[in-house]
Amino acid sequence: MNQLIELKRVTTKKDKPDLSSLGFGKHFTDHMFVMEYDKEKGWHDPRITPYEPLVLDPAAAVFHYGQAIFEGLKAYRTSDNRVLLFRPSKNIHRLNVSSERMSMPPLDEELVLEAVQQLIDLERDWIPTKEGTSLYIRPFVIATESCLGVKPALQYKFMIILSPVGAYYANQLQPVRIFVEEDYVRAVRGGVGAVKTGGNYAASLQAQLKAEKLGYDQVLWLDGVEKKYVEEVGSMNIFFKIKGEVFTPALNGSILGGITRDSVIEMLRSWNVPVHERRITIQEVYEAYQRGEIEEVFGTGTAAVISPVGELSWNDERMIINNFETGELSMKIYQEMTDIQLGRIPDPYQWTVEV
Amino acid sequence: MNQLIELKRVTTKKDKPDLSSLGFGKHFTDHMFVMEYDKEKGWHDPRITPYEPLVLDPAAAVFHYGQAIFEGLKAYRTSDNRVLLFRPSKNIHRLNVSSERMSMPPLDEELVLEAVQQLIDLERDWIPTKEGTSLYIRPFVIATESCLGVKPALQYKFMIILSPVGAYYANQLQPVRIFVEEDYVRAVRGGVGAVKTGGNYAASLQAQLKAEKLGYDQVLWLDGVEKKYVEEVGSMNIFFKIKGEVFTPALNGSILGGITRDSVIEMLRSWNVPVHERRITIQEVYEAYQRGEIEEVFGTGTAAVISPVGELSWNDERMIINNFETGELSMKIYQEMTDIQLGRIPDPYQWTVEV
């Protein structure tokens, strides 16, 4: 840490929101972290300030040419009142993977980790206690230079905001119905599917609306080239358990390398469950289904941790997975992962970082 | 027009920038147009106000999930001091094509046209007079709802800002050197390549930087599926003149339907020059080049109108087009188009709209 993070506290704290109706990303804490970048000074003026509106020129590049990247991770409160982060360095490193692809300046990863920790420490009383709730951490970078030329901006703002969020599942894991999308495409090799940039999410909304209209919860994305290979489910990675072995699409440049995905793979391998990262066609999924070999399907992501898939609809074929029930392995991963995140069991993987 | 546009004038006008160093999109006029959207009121509160910063919550959707669309067109001052717009309804309609794909609410096209005209009329003295200069018009829509859920936002802001811009060419048309890009991809069918959304531009920057490093001016994009078919050049459409006939890639869902492209096609047809809109492989371009049949290659767009291509570099092949000189047809189109835009000749196509 070579830069001091300045701190300007609020004079009056906000009332905390009702824990029973937190939702996701609607409420924000009293403070935020900010720093700016320009060509001359690099990243500078790191500070924690009261949460307040941004003032930007209407010509700021983020409004016009989409240079924007973000991350999402959570702080958890343990039953003995400690505060744990889950693999924060992984998220912070991915920010830099994203910034490189989007022609944005790299961040000092140590400084960002320090910023996350100081901000969380300051906002400790915002971390909700109820089962399944947490404090969502949203680091993001936007291009702020006021210029309409199409080029990498010369000025940026990096911020971290915090939002107390409700439990993803009201009671227990809830299998979802998935529509295999064959018209809209999320990403293609040579594009930006492997990085967390706003444009990927905006582009996905039409397909999500279409799936919802058809009565499904989310979309399963196929590759943009052949529309044959399974890529992601909604904004999660996807796993298939077939005859006791687990399969997930290999990171191919158009799939986001999820941190939960990475953790699930490591966990399964430590349990001696075979995991295969490779290309998976939707056709072979269907054929395995017909042979009765598909045991479980689940998505992985920061929000849900594990999201069991109860149904996959592909063309006119409806595949009902595991009788629309949460599978044993899905449940076991979810339990172990959340137990580690909440400090209920020892963390053999050294994933958690105490604040 | 069913909504009144309110007007709040500045008290002090800015100094006008030096006409000899305008550049592109760096200076903005005294006023701007703004209106807001929410679910209950729809688009409301249309107004012209002093040009001023935007105040947005750090959780505003545009910073995180990329719901942002824009347009670009120009107002020209004629030698007899009239003000002309070039096919503004086309740009405004395309704004709605973009908004639909990006799950954003449609605009009232008549109101937007009225807003453009009123704003231009008010800022008439900002339209520069020097040859090749103009007043660039940037309408854009951004998602403003403060919520981190991935979903179409419930609140938006539509704005029009104006920027006096310099001539694209210092003296005369200047052929450019183009690198045919085979790794990075701009867009794919099923994606958002056919709409003007920020994410497309952010995603293109890495390839542009790579081309510049290799000594080229811009990139020629190939299709994302087979990397075989020509799509766009930089952020322009592309045309080839081969044995007296003109070829341009058909609009296939991943190419932006340029308004200059459309105008060039109409102009050529009125001159009885055969124009073919179809798939064009880079291989057939190369083969035509080897046979000595390629007469001209040029890009089309609002900024340059016509941008002659002097060199195409594909793998290890360097194709020098028309001896690196501006072709006769390129020149003739440029002359006719700018003569119409500047009101120097009658407009047989009814493209111009006087303010």
Side-chain angles (χ1 to χ4, degrees):
Chain A
M1 251 293 294
N2 44 13
Q3 291 190 71
L4 189 70
I5 299 175
E6 199 193 325
L7 170 60
K8 188 183 161 194
R9 285 174 192 271
V10 293
T11 47
T12 318
K13 288 193 174 186
K14 297 179 195 173
D15 291 333
K16 304 283 187 297
D18 179 0
L19 284 192
S20 64
S21 60
L22 284 177
F24 182 81
K26 292 182 193 167
H27 307 278
F28 298 92
T29 67
D30 293 305
H31 300 85
M32 61 186 193
F33 175 87
V34 196
M35 63 180 173
E36 281 85 23
Y37 174 92
D38 65 35
K39 276 279 182 197
E40 294 69 40
K41 292 192 250 179
W43 286 108
H44 62 273
D45 207 7
R47 61 201 186 274
I48 291 171
T49 72
Y51 186 93
E52 61 190 7
L54 283 178
V55 178
L56 289 173
D57 193 276
V62 64
F63 300 135
H64 303 273
Y65 305 129
Q67 272 187 296
I69 58 171
F70 70 94
E71 273 302 325
L73 65 162
K74 290 175 171 178
Y76 307 88
R77 188 186 291 281
T78 68
S79 57
D80 58 348
N81 220 20
R82 293 178 300 132
V83 172
L84 297 180
L85 300 174
F86 186 75
R87 311 186 82 183
S89 300
K90 281 268 179 189
N91 290 91
I92 294 166
H93 179 67
R94 193 169 61 184
L95 258 184
N96 271 346
V97 172
S98 297
S99 68
E100 185 178 4
R101 180 63 182 86
M102 305 314 286
S103 313
M104 297 163 76
L107 292 146
D108 174 343
E109 298 183 21
E110 271 179 59
L111 173 64
V112 174
L113 180 58
E114 179 64 30
V116 167
Q117 288 177 314
Q118 285 193 24
L119 185 61
I120 290 289
D121 190 36
L122 180 68
E123 303 289 60
R124 196 173 275 267
D125 56 344
W126 277 91
I127 308 172
T129 49
K130 202 163 164 258
E131 171 83 24
T133 63
S134 59
L135 188 61
Y136 183 79
I137 305 167
R138 168 56 57 93
F140 64 106
V141 187
I142 55 173
T144 54
E145 190 193 6
S146 166
C147 176
L148 299 183
V150 177
K151 61 170 188 60
L154 301 177
Q155 291 160 12
Y156 298 86
K157 202 180 267 282
F158 170 75
M159 305 180 70
I160 306 170
I161 55 177
L162 305 178
S163 173
V165 297
Y168 191 87
Y169 298 110
N171 297 299
Q172 55 187 11
L173 270 62
Q174 187 59 51
V176 290
R177 303 182 62 222
I178 300 296
F179 179 78
V180 181
E181 175 58 48
E182 298 211 299
D183 294 323
Y184 292 111
V185 162
R186 179 186 167 276
V188 70
R189 57 163 189 217
V192 297
V195 306
K196 272 188 107 68
T197 183
N200 289 337
Y201 295 78
S204 78
L205 297 173
Q206 274 298 293
Q208 175 65 24
L209 292 179
K210 170 181 159 190
E212 285 171 13
K213 257 184 209 151
L214 294 170
Y216 295 89
D217 298 300
Q218 279 180 17
V219 157
L220 180 74
W221 299 103
L222 300 179
D223 75 285
V225 174
E226 300 182 62
K227 295 195 183 165
K228 200 166 123 176
Y229 299 100
V230 170
E231 297 226 316
E232 296 189 20
V233 59
S235 49
M236 292 185 287
N237 294 116
I238 190 163
F239 286 77
F240 300 87
K241 178 164 172 265
I242 302 177
K243 290 172 72 184
E245 307 201 351
V246 174
F247 299 82
T248 191
L251 300 181
N252 61 355
S254 60
I255 293 172
L256 188 79
I259 289 151
T260 311
R261 173 187 182 280
D262 184 80
S263 308
V264 166
I265 292 172
E266 190 174 339
M267 188 174 270
L268 288 172
R269 287 189 174 145
S270 82
W271 294 345
N272 294 314
V273 176
V275 185
H276 309 277
E277 297 177 71
R278 65 159 170 86
R279 299 216 287 187
I280 300 166
T281 64
I282 186 67
Q283 178 69 33
E284 72 176 294
V285 169
Y286 179 64
E287 286 167 8
Y289 173 77
Q290 282 190 308
R291 288 193 302 269
E293 291 172 359
I294 297 207
E295 294 152 359
E296 300 183 36
V297 181
F298 57 92
T300 65
T302 295
V305 183
I306 297 293
S307 175
V309 172
E311 179 183 339
L312 274 174
S313 168
W314 180 46
N315 294 326
D316 295 330
E317 310 298 341
R318 294 180 58 189
M319 306 175 231
I320 304 297
I321 312 295
N322 193 37
N323 206 21
F324 211 89
E325 285 165 15
T326 300
E328 215 173 287
L329 186 66
S330 307
M331 195 60 229
K332 188 178 168 193
I333 298 166
Y334 178 80
Q335 197 60 52
E336 179 98 350
M337 197 75 80
T338 52
D339 281 349
I340 290 171
Q341 289 170 338
L342 292 166
R344 288 189 292 229
I345 60 170
D347 170 13
Y349 310 99
Q350 299 187 299
W351 285 335
T352 53
V353 174
E354 187 170 345
V355 177
Chain B
M1 251 292 296
N2 44 12
Q3 291 190 73
L4 188 71
I5 299 175
E6 200 193 325
L7 170 60
K8 189 184 161 193
R9 285 174 192 271
V10 293
T11 48
T12 317
K13 289 193 174 190
K14 298 178 195 173
D15 290 333
K16 304 283 186 294
D18 179 2
L19 284 192
S20 64
S21 60
L22 284 176
F24 182 80
K26 291 181 192 167
H27 306 279
F28 297 91
T29 67
D30 292 305
H31 299 87
M32 62 186 191
F33 175 87
V34 195
M35 64 180 172
E36 281 86 22
Y37 174 91
D38 66 34
K39 275 280 183 194
E40 295 71 38
K41 291 192 250 180
W43 286 108
H44 61 274
D45 207 7
R47 60 201 186 275
I48 291 171
T49 72
Y51 186 92
E52 63 190 7
L54 283 177
V55 178
L56 288 174
D57 194 275
V62 65
F63 299 134
H64 304 273
Y65 304 128
Q67 272 188 296
I69 58 171
F70 69 94
E71 273 302 324
L73 64 162
K74 289 175 171 177
Y76 306 88
R77 189 186 291 280
T78 67
S79 58
D80 57 349
N81 220 21
R82 292 178 301 133
V83 172
L84 298 180
L85 301 174
F86 186 75
R87 310 187 81 183
S89 300
K90 281 268 180 191
N91 289 92
I92 294 166
H93 179 65
R94 192 169 62 184
L95 212 42
N96 271 346
V97 171
S98 297
S99 68
E100 185 178 3
R101 180 62 183 85
M102 304 313 287
S103 313
M104 297 163 75
L107 292 145
D108 174 343
E109 299 183 20
E110 273 179 56
L111 172 64
V112 175
L113 180 58
E114 179 65 30
V116 167
Q117 289 177 314
Q118 285 193 24
L119 185 61
I120 290 290
D121 190 37
L122 180 69
E123 304 289 60
R124 196 173 276 267
D125 57 342
W126 277 90
I127 307 173
T129 49
K130 200 162 165 260
E131 171 83 25
T133 63
S134 59
L135 188 61
Y136 183 78
I137 305 167
R138 168 56 57 93
F140 64 105
V141 187
I142 54 173
T144 55
E145 190 193 8
S146 165
C147 176
L148 298 183
V150 177
K151 62 171 185 62
L154 301 177
Q155 292 159 14
Y156 297 86
K157 203 180 268 282
F158 170 76
M159 304 182 70
I160 306 170
I161 56 177
L162 305 178
S163 173
V165 298
Y168 193 88
Y169 297 110
N171 297 299
Q172 53 187 12
L173 297 197
Q174 188 58 50
V176 290
R177 301 182 63 221
I178 299 297
F179 179 76
V180 181
E181 174 59 50
E182 297 210 300
D183 294 323
Y184 292 112
V185 162
R186 180 187 166 274
V188 70
R189 57 161 190 219
V192 296
V195 305
K196 271 187 107 69
T197 183
N200 289 338
Y201 295 80
S204 78
L205 298 173
Q206 274 299 295
Q208 174 65 24
L209 293 178
K210 172 181 158 191
E212 285 170 14
K213 257 183 211 154
L214 294 170
Y216 295 89
D217 298 299
Q218 279 181 15
V219 158
L220 179 75
W221 298 104
L222 301 179
D223 75 285
V225 174
E226 300 181 62
K227 296 194 182 166
K228 201 166 123 177
Y229 299 101
V230 170
E231 297 225 317
E232 296 188 20
V233 59
S235 50
M236 294 185 286
N237 294 116
I238 190 164
F239 287 75
F240 300 88
K241 179 164 172 265
I242 303 176
K243 290 172 71 182
E245 308 201 350
V246 174
F247 299 81
T248 191
L251 301 180
N252 61 355
S254 60
I255 294 172
L256 188 80
I259 289 152
T260 310
R261 173 188 182 278
D262 185 79
S263 308
V264 166
I265 292 172
E266 191 174 337
M267 187 174 271
L268 288 171
R269 287 189 174 145
S270 82
W271 295 345
N272 293 316
V273 176
V275 185
H276 309 278
E277 296 177 71
R278 65 160 170 85
R279 300 217 286 188
I280 300 165
T281 65
I282 186 68
Q283 179 68 33
E284 71 176 298
V285 168
Y286 179 65
E287 286 168 9
Y289 173 77
Q290 283 191 308
R291 289 193 302 268
E293 291 172 358
I294 297 207
E295 294 153 358
E296 302 183 33
V297 180
F298 57 92
T300 66
T302 295
V305 184
I306 297 294
S307 175
V309 172
E311 178 182 339
L312 274 174
S313 166
W314 180 47
N315 294 326
D316 295 329
E317 310 299 341
R318 295 179 59 189
M319 307 175 230
I320 304 297
I321 312 297
N322 193 37
N323 206 22
F324 212 88
E325 285 166 14
T326 299
E328 216 174 287
L329 186 66
S330 306
M331 195 59 227
K332 186 178 170 194
I333 298 167
Y334 179 79
Q335 197 59 52
E336 178 98 350
M337 198 75 81
T338 52
D339 281 348
I340 290 171
Q341 290 170 339
L342 292 167
R344 289 188 291 231
I345 59 170
D347 171 10
Y349 310 99
Q350 300 187 300
W351 284 336
T352 53
V353 174
E354 187 170 345
V355 178

